[in-house]
Amino acid sequence: MLEIANVRAGYGAINILWDLSISVPTGQLTTIIGPNGAGKTTLLRAIMGLVPLSQGSIRLNGQPLDGSSTWHMLERGVAMIPEGRMIFKDMTIEENLMLGAFPKAHRAASQANCDKAYAMFPRLHERRTQLAGTLSGGEAQMLAMARGLMSDPKLLIIDEPSLGLAPVVVNELFDILARLKAEGRTIVLVEQNTHKAVGVADHVHLMQSGKVVLSQPASKVSLEQLHELYFAR
Ligand code: ATP
């Protein structure tokens, strides 16, 4: 269980998250939706220890997570797939993948994890020796997902994976998310495609101006109510 409790955080003197609390149950998919600037990415960065908390705590199975280095996060079974993919275009697909297994604890299993990633993303296998800069937007997102899986994380933090992708690729991406969930991984997903996100999620949280304004099981969510709140200012 990932427990985000009464968190305040921001950038220097600018506070973005206000007393924000969210519980993320183990083995389930929790989606966080909300308009641009609501603070969703800031929340994910706070979970990853990239934005310091000025109040509250973030705990994974009872142990504090905030303040850990990114390196340490991977060792603890947490990986982030950032918005914008952040792949290294001048490196091959396989070299990009291997970077996801860089921490010592994961290097021994890197070939096995690479094989697993290729089984899930066969197109990456076909193109493994090509430079990542030659990939389409959809393939680059798949590479970012595959790289995130190279440390075999228990908790996956995923930021806006469908941004800018064609509908057919978005469908593929959500199929992959459903498979990752079926594997028992805990997933925190920030998405702008509300319909798809609610479809794959177990729990839905709507953020606005740095606060959670609605928390519901996905099965109870009314998309109409969500959209009304989403656009309310
Ligand atoms: P989007 O969907 O546009 O990515 P978001 O909900 O993820 O939105 P954030 O990216 O967390 O929102 O941004 C929340 C607020 O924090 C915005 O007002 C943004 O301008 C501000 N912000 C983001 N990064 C920084 C930074 N490095 N320094 C100062 N302010 C920042």
Side-chain angles (χ1 to χ4, degrees):
M1 165 85 82
L2 175 72
E3 196 73 51
I4 301 160
N6 307 108
V7 161
R8 278 190 192 210
Y11 305 96
I14 308 163
N15 196 63
I16 304 292
L17 305 178
W18 298 92
D19 297 302
L20 190 138
S21 299
I22 290 178
S23 296
V24 176
T26 301
Q28 299 192 5
L29 194 153
T30 295
T31 189
I32 298 166
I33 57 178
N36 288 344
K40 305 178 300 295
T41 297
T42 304
L43 172 61
L44 299 191
R45 301 189 82 225
I47 296 170
M48 292 305 291
L50 299 170
V51 173
L53 310 188
S54 55
Q55 181 197 290
S57 63
I58 300 180
R59 292 172 175 268
L60 183 61
N61 301 325
Q63 301 298 317
L65 208 51
D66 41 292
S68 301
S69 64
T70 307
W71 188 269
H72 192 212
M73 297 296 276
L74 280 182
E75 301 279 359
R76 291 186 63 183
V78 186
M80 183 170 186
I81 298 167
E83 184 179 353
R85 289 132 210 175
M86 295 193 187
I87 59 169
F88 296 94
K89 294 186 174 165
D90 295 336
M91 295 169 76
T92 66
I93 285 151
E94 188 144 316
E95 285 165 346
N96 268 277
L97 279 181
M98 286 302 173
L99 284 178
F102 203 65
K104 215 172 169 184
H106 299 121
R107 268 177 247 165
S110 60
Q111 196 51 55
N113 286 336
C114 193
D115 292 345
K116 265 200 240 168
Y118 284 146
M120 192 171 270
F121 304 97
R123 248 177 301 161
L124 296 181
H125 183 251
E126 284 162 24
R127 306 186 60 177
R128 63 192 179 281
T129 57
Q130 292 181 21
L131 294 183
T134 64
L135 295 178
S136 69
E139 289 163 343
Q141 182 60 47
M142 297 305 176
L143 176 56
M145 301 278 291
R147 185 183 55 190
L149 291 169
M150 283 294 289
S151 59
D152 199 16
K154 292 184 179 57
L155 172 60
L156 259 175
I157 310 285
I158 312 177
D159 197 3
E160 306 261 20
S162 78
L163 204 65
L165 301 183
V168 57
V169 188
V170 172
N171 288 341
E172 267 178 54
L173 183 84
F174 275 88
D175 286 347
I176 296 283
L177 289 172
R179 280 172 69 180
L180 294 175
K181 185 173 111 166
E183 284 179 359
R185 297 184 204 266
T186 308
I187 302 175
V188 178
L189 171 71
V190 163
E191 242 307 314
Q192 33 82 42
N193 188 330
T194 314
H195 182 72
K196 284 277 188 191
V198 171
V200 76
D202 298 294
H203 304 277
V204 179
H205 302 272
L206 174 64
M207 271 182 76
Q208 245 167 15
S209 308
K211 295 178 182 159
V212 174
V213 294
L214 183 84
S215 294
Q216 275 186 337
S219 56
K220 296 243 164 74
V221 164
S222 131
L223 283 175
E224 259 173 43
Q225 184 197 8
L226 212 54
H227 286 147
E228 264 173 39
L229 279 168
Y230 198 109
F231 293 113
R233 291 282 171 183

